[in-house]
Amino acid sequence: MKLLFLASLSPQTGNHTTAERIRSYIESAGHTCELRDPAEFQSPAEVTNLVSQNPPFEAALALHLFKAARLLLDIQVPFGVVFGGTDINEDVKVKQKRVVMEQVLLKARFAVAFTDQLKEEAEMYLMSQSSKIYVQPQGIQTHVTDNFSWTEFLRSSGVSTEHADELRVFLLVCGLRRVKDPLYLVKVFSEWHCENPLNVLIIIGPKKEVISRPAAAAAAASVLLQLLLILCLLWKWKLLFKAGVFLAQERSQQELHAAMKRCFAMVNSSISEGMSAAILEAMDLGVPVLARDITGNSAVVQHEFTGLLYSSPKEFVHQAQRLLSDHELRERVVRNGKLYVEEHHSLKQERETYQRLVDILH
């Protein structure tokens, strides 16, 4: 079977990594799967034309109920959808988007939610048939590069390496966009750093890919403005607080995993998450997680058991200080986090689920 898969392909993002993994499952089952970015298309008509080319596509899949799956509404072949997180957590709040997503779910053969909570929210807000939504957590596998230099990573991020072995590096892994809220902790962390200069925060993640198509020009301009604002604010706070907050260049996934493994703790400050692969990867690598207390995070981070949750910048500092002083707490969340990933985020189970669901599209 020849299958079209629409998903955001911005480099080194969770969506891209998830899409590539799902594509590998589909192709290992003997199908052909062509992965395309929805930003390539200006309208559903363009996707319809693509699907009917010779030889035609026989089925389709989309990651993100609004950004990608709305482009499949006019195709004449069966399709399935995978919830991205922001579609169910954020886009449902906009009536025009919600109407479109309801149409998508009505026509889709199946939908996949990463958590039970996402499934429940989809049923509540989009009035979807419960039997059509399957829950499949993301599969997690980490790879650490052999030739990673921690000192070089710190130096290239602007961090003084004079006391490199004594630093407590908190790593915030996120794309530089509104929903990830990368500036949420900057002010309070700057103040904390002034009290103890060994505590530093490094923000690392991909810049949102700029698409050259005319239809995406406004979105691209908006992304550039957001990035410029972030950089300006980071510079401003450095001047005011001698921040202890640094912006690292994006890295390959293996280099990112190596940096994670060396840091003191992995931080998440998102406004909305479907299921953060970075959180799960940190757990798999034996790194404690400090995550903002939102629905997507609390589905995988059980406070004081698999990680620590916080609901304000001030509380973040409190939980970080506990992690620094309470070695038993640190060991417990690290141990339980790794066990949780091993038990609930199996690649084998994920592969079997998607291969079974693709059969529904025959």
Side-chain angles (χ1 to χ4, degrees):
M1 180 170 65
K2 184 181 178 184
L3 184 142
L4 173 67
F5 188 3
L6 296 182
S8 173
L9 302 182
S10 297
Q12 278 110 43
T13 59
N15 274 353
H16 192 176
T17 302
T18 299
E20 288 286 6
R21 196 171 62 249
I22 294 173
R23 176 172 70 168
S24 72
Y25 298 152
I26 294 170
E27 293 189 335
S28 67
H31 306 294
T32 299
C33 182
E34 184 172 325
L35 192 55
R36 301 286 289 270
D37 194 313
E40 296 178 34
F41 307 99
Q42 292 182 312
S43 69
E46 290 188 8
V47 176
T48 300
N49 290 337
L50 174 64
V51 168
S52 58
Q53 70 179 15
N54 192 21
F57 287 90
E58 301 163 83
L61 185 64
L63 175 55
H64 200 285
L65 198 53
F66 182 76
K67 291 178 183 176
R70 64 187 173 87
L71 295 170
L72 302 179
L73 277 172
D74 295 337
I75 65 175
Q76 300 304 308
V77 298
F79 67 85
V81 297
V82 182
F83 299 153
T86 54
D87 42 10
I88 306 301
N89 292 330
E90 300 295 323
D91 291 338
V92 291
K93 300 171 185 176
V94 181
K95 183 178 179 181
Q96 296 90 331
K97 292 182 178 181
R98 187 168 63 248
V99 169
V100 172
M101 292 192 292
E102 285 176 345
Q103 293 173 349
V104 168
L105 275 181
L106 187 64
K107 189 173 181 181
R109 289 283 182 90
F110 66 81
V112 179
F114 296 144
T115 67
D116 290 318
Q117 289 172 318
L118 274 182
K119 177 179 178 179
E120 291 168 5
E121 289 181 17
E123 292 166 351
M124 181 188 309
Y125 293 113
L126 300 174
M127 298 177 290
S128 174
Q129 302 170 27
S130 178
S131 60
K132 187 180 282 190
I133 304 178
Y134 299 80
V135 176
Q136 175 55 55
Q138 292 202 73
I140 294 297
Q141 188 173 45
T142 54
H143 299 279
V144 176
T145 185
D146 293 329
N147 58 354
F148 178 78
S149 169
W150 178 241
T151 302
E152 185 278 328
F153 172 75
L154 293 175
R155 186 182 297 114
S156 66
S157 303
V159 182
S160 171
T161 58
E162 185 178 353
H163 302 287
D165 293 336
E166 300 174 47
L167 292 175
R168 274 84 62 131
V169 177
F170 292 77
L171 194 65
L172 172 55
V173 181
C174 69
L176 300 182
R177 51 199 178 106
R178 183 193 65 82
V179 75
K180 299 300 182 181
D181 207 3
L183 300 182
Y184 185 62
L185 300 172
V186 168
K187 185 176 184 294
V188 72
F189 202 100
S190 298
E191 294 167 346
W192 188 36
H193 170 78
C194 286
E195 297 173 10
N196 190 333
L198 292 177
N199 299 327
V200 299
L201 175 66
I202 297 179
I203 302 172
I204 183 171
K207 299 180 290 291
K208 191 72 171 178
E209 186 179 28
V210 177
I211 306 300
S212 60
R213 292 294 296 266
S222 174
V223 168
L224 288 174
L225 285 172
Q226 288 182 45
L227 178 58
L228 182 61
L229 176 63
I230 288 167
L231 292 174
C232 287
L233 287 174
L234 280 174
W235 177 247
K236 175 185 175 184
W237 269 318
K238 281 185 181 182
L239 290 176
L240 290 175
F241 298 102
K242 301 177 182 178
V245 179
F246 303 87
L247 187 62
Q249 294 180 348
E250 57 189 274
R251 301 281 181 135
S252 69
Q253 190 175 48
Q254 290 188 352
E255 290 175 319
L256 178 59
H257 289 167
M260 275 188 190
K261 195 170 180 66
R262 287 297 306 271
C263 74
F264 178 78
M266 210 288 290
V267 180
N268 176 288
S269 61
S270 296
I271 296 170
S272 173
E273 288 281 4
M275 175 175 282
S276 169
I279 285 178
L280 297 170
E281 287 163 355
M283 288 179 176
D284 190 53
L285 290 166
V287 177
V289 171
L290 280 159
R292 193 168 176 173
D293 193 359
I294 56 173
T295 301
N297 289 344
S298 61
V300 296
V301 179
Q302 184 178 343
H303 186 56
E304 297 183 343
F305 187 74
T306 58
L308 296 174
L309 295 170
Y310 65 91
S311 56
S312 69
K314 184 177 179 180
E315 189 179 1
F316 164 80
V317 173
H318 171 67
Q319 298 300 344
Q321 288 172 330
R322 292 183 66 203
L323 204 57
L324 283 164
S325 61
D326 191 337
H327 298 295
E328 183 181 340
L329 172 65
R330 180 183 174 86
E331 290 176 1
R332 181 169 71 247
V333 298
V334 165
R335 181 177 61 254
N336 292 333
K338 188 167 182 61
L339 286 173
Y340 169 79
V341 172
E342 291 173 353
E343 293 175 7
H344 299 281
H345 296 274
S346 157
L347 288 177
K348 179 177 181 292
Q349 179 60 52
E350 186 184 46
R351 180 177 64 250
E352 291 173 352
T353 296
Y354 282 105
Q355 290 178 344
R356 185 174 68 252
L357 290 176
V358 166
D359 288 340
I360 296 175
L361 301 178
H362 269 301

